Amino acid sequence: MGKPMEASGVRAFFSASSEREERWRELHRVGKALAAGSGQADKLRQEAQALVAQLRPLEDLCGYPGGRLMAQLSERLKDGDGASLARLTQRISMSLLSNSYRDDPEAWKSDQEEDDPHIPKVLPPSIGRGQARKPYCEVLIVSPGERSTWGPMCDGIRRLRRDTDQFVVEPVVVGSFEDAVLAVLVNYNIQAVVMFDGFGYEAQTPVADLRELVSAYMPQAAAARDGDLAMLLSRALHAIRPELDVYLSTDRDVAKLAGADEAAGIRRVFYALEEMLELHLAILEGLQDRYETPYFDNLKKYAQRPIGTFHALPVARGKSIFKSNWIRDMGEFYGANLFLAESSATTGGLDSLLEPTGNIKVAQDKAARAFGGDRCFFVTNGTSTSNKIIHMAVCRPGDIVLIDRDCHKSHHYGLVLAGAQPYYIDAFPLTQYSMYGSLAIKPITDALKQLKAEGKLDKVRMLVLTNCTFDGHVANVERTMLECLAIKPDLIFLWDEAWFGFARFSPFLRRRTAMGAAAKLRAMFADPGYREKFAAAKGTLPDPDKVRVRVYESDSVHKSMSSLRQGSVVVVADQDFSSVEASFKEAFFTHTSTSPNLQIIASLDVARRQMEFEGYELVSRAIQLAVEMRREINQHPLISKYFKAATPAEMIPAEYRNSGFSDYGQPGWGLAKLVGALDSDEFFLDPTRITVLCGNAGMDGSQFKALLSSEYDIQINKTSRNSVLVQININNTKSDLAHLIKALADMSRAIDKRLAEGGEPEQGAFKARVKSLVEDVPDLPNFSRFHDAFRDNPKSKTAEGHMREAFYLAYEASAREYVKLNSKDVEERLKNGPEMVSAKFVIPYPPGFPIMVPGQVITQETITFMRKLDVKEIHGFNASLGLELLKPSALAALKKEAAPKRERER
Ligand SMILES: Cc1ncc(COP(=O)(O)O)c(C=O)c1O
């Protein structure tokens, strides 16, 4: 085989699709040169030959251009007809690069087609230009037959197409397990797979990296190759892309087979070849099931109906806008549909988000399937609300919740609402970048062990973790849950995956999502061999008789997928959900507007459809782009003088990377090793979240952000003292990459010039500025402790506290006092008391997490950090008033009456 993947190691896999495009682009260039009658025809033909040879193995796995056009390309190359070779290469490469082959029959025509009545028309006439576009996709056929039978088989499948079909499905045939795995990995168009029983294991064309690819996804595949290959393949394909519909055609006992556990992942089993039309219809139905967006579809229909409204929402149907003399521009800007699709009623099939029984319910069920949970709830006010709903639903006053102190503020407020006691645990610091990393497993299990030692384990309800963090730290979700469940087998987990929803659609990252790990734990505990493992593990694994898998994920669909702003979901895999179902409903009612935005609900429905069809492609491309971006920044001779994309080795201390994984382009790191790191390392860095260090350019994060925005129209979100965060999403393109790289190169050039022209004084000042940004970084303050007034037992070694009492105590004006941050009073009180106790959450942006929470004792570290902070936005702090504190007298009074009150509340 040629070289479908040229780059080495991990990058190779991610660059496969862009290398394919690159080669077709190259072929297009060669074709054009040939057509122009360049004098170098022979050389150009040789170039074309080499390119086609490299492309062929990959093209065998793709529907377009397909066998016929590729064969014709080879013929043209052989017979030396330059003009027709040029025409053909141009047509194919243009169709591929512009995607026009998806709906343009011309793209599929060979230059002999008109003369040959036996060549079937590839696409039915109904998808010709100018007609409604039917979605195009490909079905992978895994066949035991000789290669010579594949062409006729495809023609037979194409003949089944009817004008009434909703989708155009083009067949691609492979002959083995390994080829099928490779096809599903590299061909994003494949949406369904039909396995004809009896195919073999080994790839018919050996691919250098294939074995590694296969073993990366199914380590046991090669060992199991003599077993039931169809079942094995179905599992392997779902491990890569769970959304694929898999069918089996077999002449085994279909009734028995269809009922078998191993066949659960197979959508339908057919008996031999007797029902090809049924198979075709089943494929279409499977696609339709994913394509259907029940809420959005109904909203579109609703918008077309002539409905009179007598409810409160004047903009519904747009009448208050389009008839207005003064606000018509709003209607022109947003278009009529936005208003036609608005209603404050839940009639007309619009269903109710608060009590869904119709299309919202179906849409949520489909989202649960897509995101891998048992249940999914749409939330129209962001993950801030999703988090509060979960806290309120599962926690009772007095419960202890272990929580990452620098998690999003919605959790801290959620705990206040629920009345649960936070047990704050600090993440590992990345002081050099003025940011926190993530929460390691050991401090969590240490806290659980201490709680156990003090007899408080029954009060512990939940663990809240951010995955991934803003800066890209991805937890080892499975290991975290396993180790915690070994101590507290019914612990509930809330994984805040606000930034990480997309990860479900990457076969690499899925294992590190809440739902991916929950599925693995369920399978592990259900395995008959688990009891033995547990017995041998001597207390380091969860007790099979006690363990419960109770996992909640909150996910800002709007942050990484195509929903409108504030579109969020709660995804649940809780085997005891029935025990909290009623309280979940109450919490949902508490936080959900009675006028939820219909467009957000519809966009959640549509975002799900998109991810089920093209999530794999979009996420793969985003990762590919991010890896490329990192490389461009760090290897560019000019840019890398002043900027750096922080590597996994720089963002994650070595103790959390046992595998030694340090960067994405690391030599000698193939896929199997990468997957090993993903499985074993305590933390992994999400490649799509790129911390660009700018301290060496003499700029702090805010300055750099402002410059990017004002001079280059580049928007970024998060900054730290010496870095900014560049996020690569499913919407980013190579042009975006080029835009940022150009900006960084321009800035670097400008710095070079300024330093050269400014001479020593400029260079000295620059050096000092860099030092202050890169070396003189303030220590990050750890959580100190709750004041004794908020602790059940001040002598206890565990850290939980009744934060809600502090929060509400501060509502009393008589309980509050203020101390100016830079006053001598602060020094005096730090030295001689009384202790200063925060009345408020104080949240500077950046870093964006509370450096003080209500009831927390303020220490020297916090004061030093506050004084060094050079950010303008600090929520909960008014510099002219000073730090808002709880008065010692109020604390003393509370302490007296707290214990009986807490007892009553419980
Ligand atoms: C970790 C985390 N969770 C939750 C949220 C809140 O999400 P939303 O903006 O969807 O309300 C954010 C917002 O930045 C976040 O960073």
Side-chain angles (χ1 to χ4, degrees):
M1 173 161 193
K3 291 193 290 172
M5 296 167 204
E6 216 161 51
S8 68
V10 174
R11 245 180 30 230
F13 173 72
F14 290 113
S15 59
S17 69
S18 68
E19 279 191 17
R20 179 184 181 216
E21 282 159 19
E22 215 39 67
R23 290 200 175 112
W24 278 107
R25 220 169 259 127
E26 200 49 28
L27 208 50
H28 184 160
R29 184 192 61 76
V30 174
K32 268 203 322 211
L34 272 168
S38 149
Q40 296 189 309
D42 279 349
K43 187 167 165 273
L44 289 169
R45 257 195 301 277
Q46 273 170 16
E47 256 182 70
Q49 243 154 4
L51 286 164
V52 170
Q54 287 168 9
L55 277 165
R56 187 175 297 282
L58 213 52
E59 296 311 327
D60 277 350
L61 307 173
C62 299
Y64 186 82
R68 264 176 342 113
L69 288 180
M70 285 303 286
Q72 202 167 37
L73 203 55
S74 298
E75 262 171 49
R76 295 290 162 274
L77 277 168
K78 235 188 274 158
D79 66 22
D81 176 354
S84 63
L85 173 66
R87 267 201 312 276
L88 197 58
T89 48
Q90 280 201 62
R91 167 138 45 88
I92 298 174
S93 52
M94 275 310 288
S95 307
L96 260 177
L97 299 173
S98 67
N99 260 331
S100 66
Y101 69 94
R102 302 176 80 91
D103 51 9
D104 180 5
E106 292 300 310
W108 295 79
K109 279 188 184 157
S110 68
D111 51 5
Q112 290 173 340
E113 191 144 329
E114 261 64 47
D115 318 328
D116 186 351
H118 300 296
I119 298 174
K121 292 274 175 283
V122 175
L123 299 176
S126 62
I127 68 146
R129 277 214 181 106
Q131 302 189 8
R133 183 176 182 269
K134 286 187 184 188
Y136 167 93
C137 64
E138 291 168 16
V139 56
L140 181 71
I141 311 286
V142 192
S143 163
E146 291 292 314
R147 205 170 246 272
S148 58
T149 63
W150 294 359
M153 178 176 3
C154 288
D155 290 341
I157 291 171
R158 291 186 191 110
R159 273 191 216 99
L160 296 169
R161 291 175 183 161
R162 300 149 316 145
D163 279 355
T164 48
D165 289 353
Q166 245 210 302
F167 307 92
V168 177
V169 185
E170 175 67 11
V172 175
V173 189
V174 293
S176 72
F177 176 97
E178 288 185 332
D179 287 313
V181 170
L182 188 61
V184 159
L185 278 167
V186 300
N187 180 349
Y188 300 137
N189 282 338
I190 292 173
Q191 294 293 346
V193 180
V194 180
M195 305 178 293
F196 286 96
D197 226 354
F199 56 86
Y201 182 85
E202 232 156 76
Q204 297 185 344
T205 42
V207 184
D209 299 332
L210 181 62
R211 302 275 129 70
E212 201 190 341
L213 275 174
V214 173
S215 70
Y217 289 101
M218 285 208 84
Q220 74 284 34
R225 57 196 285 173
D226 296 327
D228 189 331
L229 275 188
M231 298 303 159
L232 189 66
L233 181 58
S234 163
R235 270 192 288 133
L237 299 183
H238 282 138
I240 301 167
R241 293 168 61 179
E243 63 281 357
L244 286 183
D245 296 325
V246 176
Y247 302 89
L248 173 64
S249 176
T250 179
D251 49 15
R252 289 189 258 170
D253 179 345
V254 281
K256 209 160 155 197
L257 193 63
D261 274 354
E262 313 88 79
I266 296 177
R267 194 175 164 93
R268 245 186 100 173
V269 180
F270 291 92
Y271 184 64
L273 274 172
E274 70 182 10
E275 295 179 283
M276 282 305 274
L277 181 61
E278 280 298 305
L279 178 61
H280 175 70
L281 295 175
I283 292 171
L284 294 179
E285 192 185 62
L287 295 171
Q288 177 58 24
D289 185 23
R290 268 184 279 161
Y291 191 80
E292 187 192 35
T293 35
Y295 188 78
F296 175 58
D297 298 346
N298 187 63
L299 196 61
K300 281 193 290 183
K301 274 193 222 138
Y302 174 88
Q304 302 310 319
R305 288 170 51 203
I307 290 170
T309 59
F310 293 95
H311 53 63
L313 190 67
V315 301
R317 321 301 295 172
K319 287 183 199 162
S320 74
I321 292 162
F322 292 107
K323 286 196 303 193
S324 163
N325 292 321
W326 295 96
I327 62 167
R328 239 174 293 164
D329 58 333
M330 181 184 180
E332 282 155 17
F333 182 72
Y334 288 111
N337 278 343
L338 179 65
F339 306 102
L340 289 172
E342 265 305 342
S343 171
S344 75
T346 52
T347 49
L350 288 177
D351 207 3
S352 159
L353 184 64
L354 290 150
E355 202 71 69
T357 52
N359 47 46
I360 293 185
K361 182 169 183 332
V362 182
Q364 290 186 155
D365 289 346
K366 283 175 186 267
R369 172 185 72 198
F371 296 124
D374 304 333
R375 290 175 176 76
C376 177
F377 299 90
F378 288 172
V379 177
T380 57
N381 192 22
T383 294
S384 304
T385 295
S386 297
N387 288 338
K388 285 178 222 155
I389 290 173
I390 302 169
H391 280 278
M392 239 187 110
V394 304
C395 297
R396 296 149 305 192
D399 278 352
I400 296 173
V401 172
L402 305 183
I403 178 164
D404 172 0
R405 201 261 313 225
D406 58 324
C407 65
H408 188 255
K409 63 182 187 173
S410 51
H411 296 285
H412 307 275
Y413 284 104
L415 287 166
V416 168
L417 292 172
Q421 301 185 73
Y423 186 138
Y424 286 118
I425 308 177
D426 287 302
F428 63 81
L430 291 168
T431 312
Q432 65 278 31
Y433 309 134
S434 283
M435 62 174 79
Y436 274 96
S438 198
L439 197 47
I441 301 175
K442 184 157 184 311
I444 305 171
T445 48
D446 281 350
L448 281 171
K449 284 178 191 159
Q450 185 59 35
L451 285 157
K452 187 174 178 183
E454 294 189 20
K456 293 195 222 167
L457 218 44
D458 59 326
K459 275 198 188 172
V460 178
R461 184 71 167 162
M462 184 160 78
L463 169 65
V464 180
L465 291 171
T466 313
N467 186 55
C468 68
T469 64
F470 216 143
D471 303 295
H473 294 96
V474 184
N476 190 327
V477 181
E478 183 187 344
R479 219 173 97 199
T480 306
M481 296 205 284
L482 259 186
E483 291 195 22
C484 290
L485 289 171
I487 303 167
K488 163 91 180 153
D490 58 351
L491 187 64
I492 299 173
F493 297 89
L494 163 49
W495 293 96
D496 180 336
E497 299 197 345
W499 296 106
F500 208 44
F502 73 95
R504 169 89 198 151
F505 302 91
S506 158
F508 293 101
L509 299 177
R510 187 180 308 121
R511 72 198 70 220
R512 284 195 172 236
T513 63
M515 290 304 129
K520 281 180 91 177
L521 289 191
R522 278 181 176 177
M524 180 192 289
F525 300 144
D527 189 314
Y530 178 71
R531 277 180 186 280
E532 248 173 68
K533 266 197 210 152
F534 166 70
K538 299 203 171 69
T540 57
L541 279 176
D543 182 340
D545 292 320
K546 294 190 182 145
V547 71
R548 314 298 294 166
V549 177
R550 309 196 63 183
V551 185
Y552 291 75
E553 167 196 323
S554 58
D555 168 356
S556 293
V557 181
H558 69 101
K559 289 195 203 292
S560 71
M561 293 169 264
S562 297
S563 93
L564 295 179
R565 197 160 159 81
Q566 297 193 3
S568 170
V569 287
V570 174
V571 190
V572 183
D574 177 359
Q575 68 185 108
D576 293 330
F577 187 73
S578 59
S579 68
V580 291
E581 192 158 12
S583 52
F584 192 92
K585 212 166 184 181
E586 288 301 332
F588 197 83
F589 288 163
T590 305
H591 293 283
T592 304
S593 163
T594 43
S595 311
N597 186 308
L598 308 193
Q599 316 319 320
I600 297 178
I601 303 173
S603 72
L604 285 168
D605 201 9
V606 175
R608 185 276 308 155
R609 180 211 288 170
Q610 176 178 42
M611 295 314 277
E612 279 200 309
F613 277 106
E614 53 186 358
Y616 173 69
E617 169 174 7
L618 295 172
V619 174
S620 300
R621 285 186 190 277
I623 293 176
Q624 183 183 312
L625 200 64
V627 170
E628 214 173 314
M629 171 90 83
R630 289 171 174 277
R631 191 180 67 234
E632 285 299 321
I633 295 173
N634 289 349
Q635 291 185 0
H636 193 290
L638 178 62
I639 295 174
S640 59
K641 272 165 78 175
Y642 301 110
F643 300 97
K644 173 132 209 243
T647 60
E650 285 159 328
M651 294 292 285
I652 301 172
E655 64 195 286
Y656 305 124
R657 289 179 292 107
N658 282 346
S659 69
F661 179 63
S662 66
D663 203 359
Y664 304 95
Q666 204 172 337
W669 272 71
L671 273 178
K673 261 177 106 176
L674 172 79
V675 169
L678 269 160
D679 277 335
S680 68
D681 283 358
E682 186 157 347
F683 291 105
F684 190 78
L685 190 70
D686 174 359
T688 68
R689 306 182 75 77
I690 308 174
T691 294
V692 177
L693 305 172
C694 54
N696 280 331
M699 280 183 269
D700 66 36
S702 307
Q703 285 172 321
F704 183 40
K705 173 179 167 168
L707 191 63
L708 281 172
S709 165
S710 63
E711 297 294 313
Y712 301 96
D713 282 332
I714 291 174
Q715 287 185 357
I716 49 121
N717 191 337
K718 197 220 163 203
T719 61
S720 83
R721 183 170 166 80
N722 50 24
S723 74
V724 301
L725 181 74
V726 171
Q727 294 175 51
I728 302 293
N729 265 317
I730 61 169
N731 59 319
N732 287 113
T733 60
K734 284 211 168 201
S735 306
D736 296 333
L737 184 152
H739 189 177
L740 183 69
I741 294 296
K742 167 99 176 57
L744 294 178
D746 285 355
M747 283 185 203
S748 306
R749 229 170 272 124
I751 300 171
D752 260 2
K753 186 163 175 278
R754 203 179 75 220
L755 293 178
E757 286 173 359
E760 255 176 48
E762 181 69 37
Q763 288 159 14
F766 181 78
K767 221 167 144 188
R769 174 81 178 135
V770 169
K771 183 173 178 299
S772 114
L773 289 167
V774 176
E775 291 174 28
D776 306 337
V777 282
D779 276 341
L780 294 168
N782 276 347
F783 179 76
S784 53
R785 62 187 168 83
F786 282 110
H787 185 266
D788 287 353
F790 306 108
R791 310 248 303 134
D792 282 335
N793 173 9
K795 292 213 174 77
S796 157
K797 287 192 183 133
T798 64
E800 75 280 5
H802 292 275
M803 185 167 69
R804 182 166 68 169
E805 290 174 7
F807 183 87
Y808 283 112
L809 186 60
Y811 275 35
E812 303 291 333
S814 59
R816 298 192 302 254
E817 63 178 355
Y818 295 88
V819 182
K820 289 263 173 68
L821 180 62
N822 290 316
S823 68
K824 286 211 179 86
D825 290 352
V826 167
E827 252 56 56
E828 173 57 26
R829 287 187 64 171
L830 281 174
K831 209 164 149 205
N832 299 320
E835 285 177 324
M836 292 185 289
V837 177
S838 181
K840 280 251 157 90
F841 287 110
V842 176
I843 308 178
Y845 283 82
F849 62 85
I851 57 167
M852 295 175 214
V853 305
Q856 180 185 340
V857 174
I858 299 173
T859 56
Q860 180 69 61
E861 290 74 46
T862 315
I863 295 293
T864 309
F865 185 78
M866 277 289 280
R867 286 178 178 165
K868 280 197 183 172
L869 265 183
D870 45 10
V871 298
K872 290 190 191 75
E873 200 179 331
I874 306 179
H875 296 182
F877 176 68
N878 181 338
S880 60
L881 285 175
L883 297 165
E884 191 173 317
L885 306 178
L886 293 171
K887 277 188 187 163
S889 55
L891 293 167
L894 181 101
K895 216 169 161 185
K896 263 197 218 148
E897 63 189 48
K901 196 161 156 259
R902 283 173 202 154
E903 218 32 66
R904 274 198 309 278
E905 265 191 8
R906 240 167 265 145

